[in-house]
Amino acid sequence: MALIEPELVHEDALALRQLFLFNDMRNAVSYRGPKDPFVLPSCYDKDTIIEASENYSDVLPFLNDFFEGVRTNARRYPELPLIDELTILFYDQLSDIQSEFVRDYYLHERDFRNLTIALSRESQGFPYRERLIPLGDAYDAIMAGTPPDFGLSADFPFIDELIRLFKTTDLTAHEEVMERLRWQWLDERVGAELFSTEFILSYVIKYQSVERWQTLSQEKGDELFGELLNSVRRSARFSLEFSDVGEK
């Protein structure tokens, strides 16, 4: 990402960094000094997280609210684990993120997470309500609806595929299908605008998932990386062909 950010205008570079806020949330909970693990990539560096944990700092308001609650023993949701409280604060204040694409990405992740947790745990006979992020239309539908689809088939056309998937115990297959569905959403969200800001941000998200897979399975990571390169080639070819037609 270090090669991409210098080429972007300030607003787009900020949007790029804010794609990694889930990692910042993990750091906010667990990083307090050199002996602690620090998750990368992140929007904020180590010094900024330390400073914010000790005093009001130049970070997004949800992080300042979280740290202040911890410092003053006045947490907003003291009954929850710290990471869950931070997640709710983040989504409560999502409007502080300027990039529409980044906001949409996090909203999709919230709803997709809630859906897959409800479907997977219900299929195995485990409780799921307390594991959900208590925000959003998908959450409301899951809480009010009934299995197997909670009345969400119109909003998530792939839900039947997930219901069948979660009846199996192949966790790697679960992850592969969910990754494919995430990439499908990104492709639909970006459309055909090659090398738009949204295209670049989408590429970064996919590249991060490739790196994650490579730590789990080199073969699967290489396969996903090949798909990522092929998607860029296809997009470039389509863009050139469309441009040629437009000039005739």
Side-chain angles (χ1 to χ4, degrees), residues 86-155:
L86 193 49
T87 300
I88 294 174
L89 290 173
F90 169 68
Y91 278 109
D92 275 342
Q93 302 179 51
L94 190 63
S95 60
D96 289 326
I97 293 178
Q98 295 181 358
S99 167
E100 181 180 1
F101 176 88
V102 175
R103 292 196 305 271
D104 287 350
Y105 163 68
Y106 282 120
L107 289 173
H108 176 263
E109 283 295 301
R110 179 197 66 191
D111 293 344
F112 189 68
R113 175 188 182 277
N114 280 344
L115 177 67
T116 53
I117 286 176
L119 292 176
S120 62
R121 292 184 65 83
E122 193 281 329
S123 69
Q124 301 299 322
F126 296 127
Y128 54 83
R129 291 173 177 261
E130 298 301 319
R131 301 291 293 271
L132 306 179
I133 300 172
L135 296 166
D137 292 341
Y139 169 79
D140 292 340
I142 291 169
M143 297 298 286
T146 56
D149 67 1
F150 302 100
L152 285 168
S153 57
D155 296 313

Side-chain angles (χ1 to χ4, degrees), residues 60-97:
L60 282 168
F62 84 96
L63 283 171
N64 275 319
D65 290 349
F66 169 75
F67 284 127
E68 182 179 9
V70 172
R71 283 196 305 269
T72 61
N73 199 27
R75 291 174 53 196
R76 190 82 58 87
Y77 304 100
E79 72 282 3
L80 296 178
L82 289 173
I83 192 64
D84 291 348
E85 175 175 2
L86 193 49
T87 300
I88 294 174
L89 290 173
F90 169 68
Y91 278 109
D92 275 342
Q93 302 179 51
L94 190 63
S95 60
D96 289 326
I97 293 178

Side-chain angles (χ1 to χ4, degrees), residues 22-33:
F22 282 151
N23 287 343
D24 289 280
M25 292 159 66
R26 297 184 183 95
N27 292 330
V29 168
S30 62
Y31 185 76
R32 293 298 179 271

Side-chain angles (χ1 to χ4, degrees), residues 5-24:
E5 188 172 340
E7 304 301 322
L8 301 176
V9 299
H10 173 75
E11 292 79 6
D12 294 343
L14 178 61
L16 173 66
R17 293 195 301 275
Q18 290 178 339
L19 290 175
F20 310 128
L21 283 168
F22 282 151
N23 287 343
D24 289 280

Side-chain angles (χ1 to χ4, degrees), residues 172 210 212-223:
T172 299
V210 168
R212 182 177 70 86
W213 271 101
Q214 285 179 327
T215 65
L216 302 173
S217 165
Q218 184 68 42
E219 180 181 357
K220 185 60 184 178
D222 291 345
E223 178 186 335

Side-chain angles (χ1 to χ4, degrees), residues 156-170:
F156 301 95
F158 49 78
I159 199 168
D160 288 339
E161 179 183 5
L162 289 177
I163 291 172
R164 292 191 298 271
L165 175 72
F166 290 134
K167 290 180 180 178
T168 72
T169 57
D170 187 343

